[in-house]
Amino acid sequence: MNPRRLDKIIRANAVREGAGVTVHRTLGTPALRNLDPFLMLDHFGSDNPDEYIAGFPEHPHRGFITLTYMIDGHMLHRDSVGNRGDLKAGGVQWMKAASGIIHSEMPQQSAGLMRGFQLWINLPAREKMSPPAYQEHPAEAIPVHTGNGPRVKVLAGRYGELSGPIDDPHTHLQYLDVTLDSGEGFSHTLPAGQQAFLYVFEGDASVAATALPRHTLAVLDDDGDSLVVQAGADGARFILVAGQPLGEPIRQHGPFVMNTQAEIDQALADYRDGVLVQESAPAS
Ligand code: FE
C-alpha cells in the first residue's frame, strides 16, 4: 500500500444561495474552481427549527450532473422532465441535467434538522447535449458496513463486499459516507488516476498527520493507491468522493457548464428564449 498524501486543504466559505439558504462551499470557490471531474460541493444545513429555509426555487442546469445526498430532513423537488417527489433522509438523487433541466429543490427540516450535500459532476463533451436522466435511491437501498471498524455507507462504488446503487458511468464515481469513533482509523483503496477528496462534516480527522477540522475539504494527491484517515478525539464523519477525470476544457457560467464560450452563449440564449429544456414532461 502506498497511501496518498494531501495536495490541498480548503476551508469552507459560508455563502448564501437560492432564496436565502446558507451553504458551506469548498469546491467551486476561488480557492478551488474545480477538481476534474467535480465542479462544486455544497454542504447545506440548519439545526435551528426557527430558521426559515426558502430553498432553491425554479432554476436551470445544462452540461453536468447534480448528485444530492440528504442526511437529515428531506427535500421536495420537481423538474421539467417530470420527476417530482420527496427525497427523504439518507436518500440520494442523481440528476443528469445534460441538454437542459429546469427544477426546484426545497429542503425541509425534520425535527428541526436539515443537512445534506450537493456535488456537481461534469459530463464529457459527447454527453453534454444528450437527453436528461435520473436515478433516485432511498436510504434502505444504500448498503451500510457496520459491526467491526468504521461505519460506511456506500452511495457509489465499492467498500469491501458492498457496492453502492448510484451508477455514474462516465467517472466510475466512488462516494462513501464514513463515521469513525474516537481515534479510529480508516483505509480504502483508490485506483491510480482517480481524482479524490474528502470533506469532514462532524468531529475532526487527519491524513498523513495533517489535521482536518470540521468543514474542511482535503484534496488528495494522485500519487498512491490508497487512503488512510485517522479520527480525532471526538471521532469524525466525512464523505470520500473519487472519480476519473475527463481531461476536457471546462467553461462555466453559473448553472451552465460546457466546453467552449460559444456553447455557454448558446445556453444563455436558449434559456432567455425559453428553449433550454429540449425534453420535457408529457402534458398531464
Ligand atoms: Fe439545482
Side-chain angles (χ1 to χ4, degrees):
M1 283 230 310
N2 174 21
R4 294 195 191 195
R5 295 174 174 277
L6 291 179
D7 185 41
K8 215 173 202 185
I9 295 173
I10 312 289
R11 297 300 307 267
N13 275 342
V15 295
R16 302 273 286 178
E17 276 291 319
V21 180
T22 301
V23 301
H24 285 97
R25 181 169 298 169
T26 41
L27 187 48
T29 63
L32 186 62
R33 272 285 153 229
N34 51 61
L35 189 67
D36 186 15
F38 307 113
L39 301 165
M40 194 194 77
L41 180 71
D42 276 353
H43 176 215
F44 49 88
S46 172
D47 54 7
N48 176 2
D50 298 325
E51 188 173 48
Y52 173 65
I53 300 166
F56 307 90
E58 281 212 331
H59 60 276
H61 295 286
R62 174 178 280 180
F64 61 99
I65 290 159
T66 66
L67 183 64
T68 306
Y69 174 35
M70 287 306 289
I71 294 169
D72 296 308
H74 58 115
M75 185 183 79
L76 301 173
H77 65 92
R78 58 192 302 161
D79 69 35
S80 50
V81 188
N83 303 302
R84 63 199 54 203
D86 190 358
L87 184 68
K88 300 280 192 351
V92 62
Q93 178 201 58
W94 178 96
M95 190 192 78
K96 180 184 178 185
S99 58
I101 268 185
I102 293 177
H103 72 162
S104 63
E105 301 161 283
M106 309 302 271
Q108 312 285 316
Q109 294 176 335
S110 300
L113 287 176
M114 189 278 285
R115 277 197 303 176
F117 286 101
Q118 186 166 92
L119 175 70
W120 290 11
I121 307 170
N122 206 2
L123 280 167
R126 66 177 186 280
E127 290 285 333
K128 283 186 178 290
M129 293 302 288
S130 65
Y134 188 84
Q135 302 169 34
E136 186 181 319
H137 304 280
E140 308 82 74
I142 298 171
V144 187
H145 174 85
T146 52
N148 265 349
R151 177 182 161 86
V152 182
K153 299 172 86 169
V154 187
L155 284 72
R158 299 184 66 85
Y159 180 76
E161 296 302 304
L162 303 177
S163 86
I166 289 288
D167 176 23
D168 189 69
H170 316 296
T171 64
H172 306 292
L173 180 72
Q174 298 194 66
Y175 193 131
L176 307 179
D177 171 358
V178 180
T179 305
L180 300 178
D181 289 335
S182 172
E184 192 172 29
F186 168 83
S187 61
H188 188 59
T189 305
L190 286 174
Q194 280 208 349
Q195 186 80 261
F197 67 85
L198 56 103
Y199 180 92
V200 179
F201 64 102
E202 288 180 20
D204 66 285
S206 61
V207 169
T210 301
L212 304 173
R214 193 160 83 102
H215 294 154
T216 302
L217 180 138
V219 181
L220 301 171
D221 71 8
D222 52 12
D223 182 25
D225 56 10
S226 57
L227 165 71
V228 178
V229 183
Q230 192 80 30
D234 296 329
R237 187 171 177 188
F238 60 90
I239 55 168
L240 167 64
V241 177
Q244 198 63 36
L246 301 175
E248 294 178 351
I250 298 168
R251 199 79 185 186
Q252 177 166 4
H253 183 96
F256 309 125
V257 185
M258 305 300 288
N259 301 104
T260 67
Q261 186 58 42
E263 291 164 343
I264 290 293
D265 294 342
Q266 187 65 52
L268 289 165
D270 286 353
Y271 185 50
R272 187 188 58 224
D273 297 342
V275 295
L276 180 89
V277 172
Q278 306 191 346
E279 298 230 342
S280 54
S284 56

